Amino acid sequence: MTSYEIKRLNPEEFNKCSNIWDMEKQSKMANNFYSELVSGNRITFIYLENNDFIGEGSLVFENTDPDYTIPDKRIYLSRMIVKKEYRNRGIGSIILDYLIDHAEQLGYGEIALGVDTDNVNARHLYEKKGFTDVLFIGKDNYGEYVKLLRE
């Protein structure tokens, strides 16, 4: 078993997330995430192996989409991702368990997320972890997606 740690991301280390996903190609998203981190609206947790950034997941307190957040009741699970060559090793499950636990510690009874309908592995993981209520199925710039809720 590889030893790992999960730690809360410091905004000063935000650029290290480029080890997980292409922040230059998705610069608008990266800038939004950074702004939310600094404002305190987003908390991001990093999964590390040997101090390398391998995976991440965030909880967001307020979102412009009312399906995703309800003050003090529902929190938004945003941008859970594992570096490509580390997928299918249970890392996503570890991060997701950590985020669910943290949301519960903060007093949230509901967690909402969005996932691409063609991302079968992620959908299976989310459903296995209790994200079984479908709030919405629709399309955006990235394709068809579904909003899921865990109560």
PDB file of all heavy atoms in Angstrom, residues 7-10 14 17 33 37 42-46 55-59 78-79 99:
ATOM      1  N   LYS A   7      -4.200  16.850   2.296  1.00  0.00           N
ATOM      2  CA  LYS A   7      -4.063  18.112   3.026  1.00  0.00           C
ATOM      3  C   LYS A   7      -4.848  19.213   2.330  1.00  0.00           C
ATOM      4  O   LYS A   7      -5.106  19.152   1.130  1.00  0.00           O
ATOM      5  CB  LYS A   7      -2.591  18.493   3.184  1.00  0.00           C
ATOM      6  CG  LYS A   7      -1.898  18.949   1.924  1.00  0.00           C
ATOM      7  CD  LYS A   7      -0.513  19.500   2.240  1.00  0.00           C
ATOM      8  CE  LYS A   7       0.051  20.200   1.020  1.00  0.00           C
ATOM      9  NZ  LYS A   7       1.362  20.778   1.257  1.00  0.00           N
ATOM     10  N   ARG A   8      -5.215  20.190   3.127  1.00  0.00           N
ATOM     11  CA  ARG A   8      -5.942  21.340   2.586  1.00  0.00           C
ATOM     12  C   ARG A   8      -4.978  22.190   1.772  1.00  0.00           C
ATOM     13  O   ARG A   8      -3.854  22.457   2.192  1.00  0.00           O
ATOM     14  CB  ARG A   8      -6.538  22.144   3.740  1.00  0.00           C
ATOM     15  CG  ARG A   8      -7.428  23.259   3.255  1.00  0.00           C
ATOM     16  CD  ARG A   8      -8.240  23.819   4.390  1.00  0.00           C
ATOM     17  NE  ARG A   8      -8.916  25.034   3.962  1.00  0.00           N
ATOM     18  CZ  ARG A   8      -9.798  25.674   4.695  1.00  0.00           C
ATOM     19  NH1 ARG A   8     -10.133  25.202   5.889  1.00  0.00           N
ATOM     20  NH2 ARG A   8     -10.359  26.774   4.247  1.00  0.00           N
ATOM     21  N   LEU A   9      -5.428  22.596   0.605  1.00  0.00           N
ATOM     22  CA  LEU A   9      -4.596  23.393  -0.298  1.00  0.00           C
ATOM     23  C   LEU A   9      -4.466  24.821   0.202  1.00  0.00           C
ATOM     24  O   LEU A   9      -5.448  25.494   0.506  1.00  0.00           O
ATOM     25  CB  LEU A   9      -5.208  23.398  -1.702  1.00  0.00           C
ATOM     26  CG  LEU A   9      -4.477  24.220  -2.757  1.00  0.00           C
ATOM     27  CD1 LEU A   9      -3.099  23.631  -3.060  1.00  0.00           C
ATOM     28  CD2 LEU A   9      -5.299  24.310  -4.032  1.00  0.00           C
ATOM     29  N   ASN A  10      -3.225  25.268   0.261  1.00  0.00           N
ATOM     30  CA  ASN A  10      -2.906  26.660   0.537  1.00  0.00           C
ATOM     31  C   ASN A  10      -2.940  27.403  -0.799  1.00  0.00           C
ATOM     32  O   ASN A  10      -2.337  26.919  -1.766  1.00  0.00           O
ATOM     33  CB  ASN A  10      -1.467  26.710   1.068  1.00  0.00           C
ATOM     34  CG  ASN A  10      -1.390  27.449   2.371  1.00  0.00           C
ATOM     35  OD1 ASN A  10      -2.218  28.307   2.655  1.00  0.00           O
ATOM     36  ND2 ASN A  10      -0.391  27.106   3.151  1.00  0.00           N
ATOM     37  N   PHE A  14      -1.317  26.762  -5.163  1.00  0.00           N
ATOM     38  CA  PHE A  14      -2.331  26.471  -6.182  1.00  0.00           C
ATOM     39  C   PHE A  14      -1.731  25.993  -7.500  1.00  0.00           C
ATOM     40  O   PHE A  14      -2.243  25.073  -8.120  1.00  0.00           O
ATOM     41  CB  PHE A  14      -3.219  27.699  -6.404  1.00  0.00           C
ATOM     42  CG  PHE A  14      -4.318  27.479  -7.406  1.00  0.00           C
ATOM     43  CD1 PHE A  14      -5.360  26.611  -7.123  1.00  0.00           C
ATOM     44  CD2 PHE A  14      -4.304  28.120  -8.636  1.00  0.00           C
ATOM     45  CE1 PHE A  14      -6.386  26.395  -8.048  1.00  0.00           C
ATOM     46  CE2 PHE A  14      -5.320  27.914  -9.560  1.00  0.00           C
ATOM     47  CZ  PHE A  14      -6.366  27.042  -9.263  1.00  0.00           C
ATOM     48  N   CYS A  17      -1.257  22.357  -8.628  1.00  0.00           N
ATOM     49  CA  CYS A  17      -2.371  21.564  -9.153  1.00  0.00           C
ATOM     50  C   CYS A  17      -2.184  21.270 -10.637  1.00  0.00           C
ATOM     51  O   CYS A  17      -2.813  20.371 -11.188  1.00  0.00           O
ATOM     52  CB  CYS A  17      -3.701  22.272  -8.918  1.00  0.00           C
ATOM     53  SG  CYS A  17      -4.144  22.390  -7.171  1.00  0.00           S
ATOM     54  N   PHE A  33     -11.272  29.234  -9.815  1.00  0.00           N
ATOM     55  CA  PHE A  33     -10.989  28.426  -8.635  1.00  0.00           C
ATOM     56  C   PHE A  33     -10.078  29.178  -7.678  1.00  0.00           C
ATOM     57  O   PHE A  33     -10.291  29.174  -6.470  1.00  0.00           O
ATOM     58  CB  PHE A  33     -10.320  27.102  -9.021  1.00  0.00           C
ATOM     59  CG  PHE A  33     -11.245  26.111  -9.685  1.00  0.00           C
ATOM     60  CD1 PHE A  33     -10.757  24.887 -10.112  1.00  0.00           C
ATOM     61  CD2 PHE A  33     -12.585  26.390  -9.884  1.00  0.00           C
ATOM     62  CE1 PHE A  33     -11.597  23.968 -10.721  1.00  0.00           C
ATOM     63  CE2 PHE A  33     -13.432  25.477 -10.505  1.00  0.00           C
ATOM     64  CZ  PHE A  33     -12.931  24.260 -10.922  1.00  0.00           C
ATOM     65  N   LEU A  37     -10.812  30.212  -3.884  1.00  0.00           N
ATOM     66  CA  LEU A  37      -9.915  29.752  -2.808  1.00  0.00           C
ATOM     67  C   LEU A  37      -9.522  30.909  -1.905  1.00  0.00           C
ATOM     68  O   LEU A  37      -9.599  30.821  -0.683  1.00  0.00           O
ATOM     69  CB  LEU A  37      -8.631  29.176  -3.412  1.00  0.00           C
ATOM     70  CG  LEU A  37      -8.449  27.687  -3.529  1.00  0.00           C
ATOM     71  CD1 LEU A  37      -7.081  27.386  -4.126  1.00  0.00           C
ATOM     72  CD2 LEU A  37      -8.622  26.959  -2.212  1.00  0.00           C
ATOM     73  N   ARG A  42     -14.215  28.456  -1.536  1.00  0.00           N
ATOM     74  CA  ARG A  42     -13.816  27.109  -1.962  1.00  0.00           C
ATOM     75  C   ARG A  42     -12.738  26.601  -1.009  1.00  0.00           C
ATOM     76  O   ARG A  42     -11.793  27.319  -0.697  1.00  0.00           O
ATOM     77  CB  ARG A  42     -13.257  27.162  -3.399  1.00  0.00           C
ATOM     78  CG  ARG A  42     -12.549  25.898  -3.874  1.00  0.00           C
ATOM     79  CD  ARG A  42     -12.014  26.066  -5.295  1.00  0.00           C
ATOM     80  NE  ARG A  42     -13.107  26.268  -6.224  1.00  0.00           N
ATOM     81  CZ  ARG A  42     -13.716  25.278  -6.899  1.00  0.00           C
ATOM     82  NH1 ARG A  42     -13.321  24.046  -6.762  1.00  0.00           N
ATOM     83  NH2 ARG A  42     -14.717  25.544  -7.705  1.00  0.00           N
ATOM     84  N   ILE A  43     -12.897  25.359  -0.567  1.00  0.00           N
ATOM     85  CA  ILE A  43     -11.801  24.699   0.130  1.00  0.00           C
ATOM     86  C   ILE A  43     -11.438  23.464  -0.687  1.00  0.00           C
ATOM     87  O   ILE A  43     -12.309  22.695  -1.096  1.00  0.00           O
ATOM     88  CB  ILE A  43     -12.121  24.343   1.610  1.00  0.00           C
ATOM     89  CG1 ILE A  43     -13.462  23.651   1.761  1.00  0.00           C
ATOM     90  CG2 ILE A  43     -12.033  25.552   2.496  1.00  0.00           C
ATOM     91  CD1 ILE A  43     -13.769  23.224   3.184  1.00  0.00           C
ATOM     92  N   THR A  44     -10.165  23.329  -0.967  1.00  0.00           N
ATOM     93  CA  THR A  44      -9.675  22.241  -1.817  1.00  0.00           C
ATOM     94  C   THR A  44      -8.754  21.360  -0.995  1.00  0.00           C
ATOM     95  O   THR A  44      -7.933  21.857  -0.220  1.00  0.00           O
ATOM     96  CB  THR A  44      -8.921  22.826  -3.037  1.00  0.00           C
ATOM     97  OG1 THR A  44      -9.837  23.622  -3.796  1.00  0.00           O
ATOM     98  CG2 THR A  44      -8.357  21.724  -3.923  1.00  0.00           C
ATOM     99  N   PHE A  45      -8.918  20.065  -1.183  1.00  0.00           N
ATOM    100  CA  PHE A  45      -8.054  19.094  -0.524  1.00  0.00           C
ATOM    101  C   PHE A  45      -7.255  18.354  -1.583  1.00  0.00           C
ATOM    102  O   PHE A  45      -7.789  17.982  -2.628  1.00  0.00           O
ATOM    103  CB  PHE A  45      -8.876  18.127   0.329  1.00  0.00           C
ATOM    104  CG  PHE A  45      -9.549  18.815   1.471  1.00  0.00           C
ATOM    105  CD1 PHE A  45     -10.859  19.260   1.362  1.00  0.00           C
ATOM    106  CD2 PHE A  45      -8.861  19.067   2.646  1.00  0.00           C
ATOM    107  CE1 PHE A  45     -11.480  19.931   2.407  1.00  0.00           C
ATOM    108  CE2 PHE A  45      -9.468  19.736   3.699  1.00  0.00           C
ATOM    109  CZ  PHE A  45     -10.781  20.165   3.583  1.00  0.00           C
ATOM    110  N   ILE A  46      -5.987  18.174  -1.296  1.00  0.00           N
ATOM    111  CA  ILE A  46      -5.056  17.545  -2.233  1.00  0.00           C
ATOM    112  C   ILE A  46      -4.669  16.166  -1.708  1.00  0.00           C
ATOM    113  O   ILE A  46      -4.347  16.010  -0.534  1.00  0.00           O
ATOM    114  CB  ILE A  46      -3.775  18.402  -2.405  1.00  0.00           C
ATOM    115  CG1 ILE A  46      -4.133  19.826  -2.852  1.00  0.00           C
ATOM    116  CG2 ILE A  46      -2.803  17.750  -3.388  1.00  0.00           C
ATOM    117  CD1 ILE A  46      -4.791  19.933  -4.197  1.00  0.00           C
ATOM    118  N   GLY A  55      -4.159  14.048  -6.791  1.00  0.00           N
ATOM    119  CA  GLY A  55      -5.598  14.224  -6.951  1.00  0.00           C
ATOM    120  C   GLY A  55      -6.086  15.399  -6.129  1.00  0.00           C
ATOM    121  O   GLY A  55      -5.384  15.878  -5.235  1.00  0.00           O
ATOM    122  N   GLU A  56      -7.282  15.859  -6.443  1.00  0.00           N
ATOM    123  CA  GLU A  56      -7.860  16.971  -5.689  1.00  0.00           C
ATOM    124  C   GLU A  56      -9.374  16.900  -5.723  1.00  0.00           C
ATOM    125  O   GLU A  56      -9.961  16.258  -6.595  1.00  0.00           O
ATOM    126  CB  GLU A  56      -7.398  18.322  -6.245  1.00  0.00           C
ATOM    127  CG  GLU A  56      -7.990  18.651  -7.598  1.00  0.00           C
ATOM    128  CD  GLU A  56      -7.585  20.026  -8.106  1.00  0.00           C
ATOM    129  OE1 GLU A  56      -6.478  20.162  -8.653  1.00  0.00           O
ATOM    130  OE2 GLU A  56      -8.392  20.962  -7.964  1.00  0.00           O
ATOM    131  N   GLY A  57      -9.973  17.557  -4.764  1.00  0.00           N
ATOM    132  CA  GLY A  57     -11.420  17.721  -4.731  1.00  0.00           C
ATOM    133  C   GLY A  57     -11.731  18.940  -3.895  1.00  0.00           C
ATOM    134  O   GLY A  57     -10.977  19.278  -2.980  1.00  0.00           O
ATOM    135  N   SER A  58     -12.819  19.612  -4.215  1.00  0.00           N
ATOM    136  CA  SER A  58     -13.164  20.850  -3.522  1.00  0.00           C
ATOM    137  C   SER A  58     -14.593  20.830  -3.006  1.00  0.00           C
ATOM    138  O   SER A  58     -15.453  20.151  -3.566  1.00  0.00           O
ATOM    139  CB  SER A  58     -13.025  22.053  -4.462  1.00  0.00           C
ATOM    140  OG  SER A  58     -11.699  22.207  -4.899  1.00  0.00           O
ATOM    141  N   LEU A  59     -14.799  21.616  -1.981  1.00  0.00           N
ATOM    142  CA  LEU A  59     -16.139  21.912  -1.497  1.00  0.00           C
ATOM    143  C   LEU A  59     -16.346  23.414  -1.667  1.00  0.00           C
ATOM    144  O   LEU A  59     -15.470  24.208  -1.320  1.00  0.00           O
ATOM    145  CB  LEU A  59     -16.283  21.524  -0.020  1.00  0.00           C
ATOM    146  CG  LEU A  59     -16.182  20.028   0.292  1.00  0.00           C
ATOM    147  CD1 LEU A  59     -16.118  19.807   1.800  1.00  0.00           C
ATOM    148  CD2 LEU A  59     -17.354  19.259  -0.312  1.00  0.00           C
ATOM    149  N   SER A  78     -17.010  20.073  -5.954  1.00  0.00           N
ATOM    150  CA  SER A  78     -16.565  20.597  -7.246  1.00  0.00           C
ATOM    151  C   SER A  78     -15.217  20.016  -7.652  1.00  0.00           C
ATOM    152  O   SER A  78     -14.325  19.844  -6.817  1.00  0.00           O
ATOM    153  CB  SER A  78     -16.453  22.126  -7.123  1.00  0.00           C
ATOM    154  OG  SER A  78     -15.690  22.673  -8.167  1.00  0.00           O
ATOM    155  N   ARG A  79     -15.076  19.734  -8.906  1.00  0.00           N
ATOM    156  CA  ARG A  79     -13.769  19.432  -9.498  1.00  0.00           C
ATOM    157  C   ARG A  79     -12.987  18.357  -8.740  1.00  0.00           C
ATOM    158  O   ARG A  79     -11.912  18.613  -8.210  1.00  0.00           O
ATOM    159  CB  ARG A  79     -12.945  20.721  -9.578  1.00  0.00           C
ATOM    160  CG  ARG A  79     -11.684  20.639 -10.399  1.00  0.00           C
ATOM    161  CD  ARG A  79     -11.971  20.430 -11.837  1.00  0.00           C
ATOM    162  NE  ARG A  79     -10.737  20.323 -12.611  1.00  0.00           N
ATOM    163  CZ  ARG A  79     -10.695  19.888 -13.850  1.00  0.00           C
ATOM    164  NH1 ARG A  79     -11.772  19.501 -14.452  1.00  0.00           N
ATOM    165  NH2 ARG A  79      -9.550  19.826 -14.495  1.00  0.00           N
ATOM    166  N   LEU A  99     -14.006  14.173   1.455  1.00  0.00           N
ATOM    167  CA  LEU A  99     -14.851  15.347   1.222  1.00  0.00           C
ATOM    168  C   LEU A  99     -16.215  15.195   1.885  1.00  0.00           C
ATOM    169  O   LEU A  99     -16.732  16.143   2.482  1.00  0.00           O
ATOM    170  CB  LEU A  99     -15.013  15.598  -0.278  1.00  0.00           C
ATOM    171  CG  LEU A  99     -13.755  16.051  -1.021  1.00  0.00           C
ATOM    172  CD1 LEU A  99     -13.987  16.005  -2.526  1.00  0.00           C
ATOM    173  CD2 LEU A  99     -13.332  17.444  -0.596  1.00  0.00           C
TER     174      LEU A  99
END
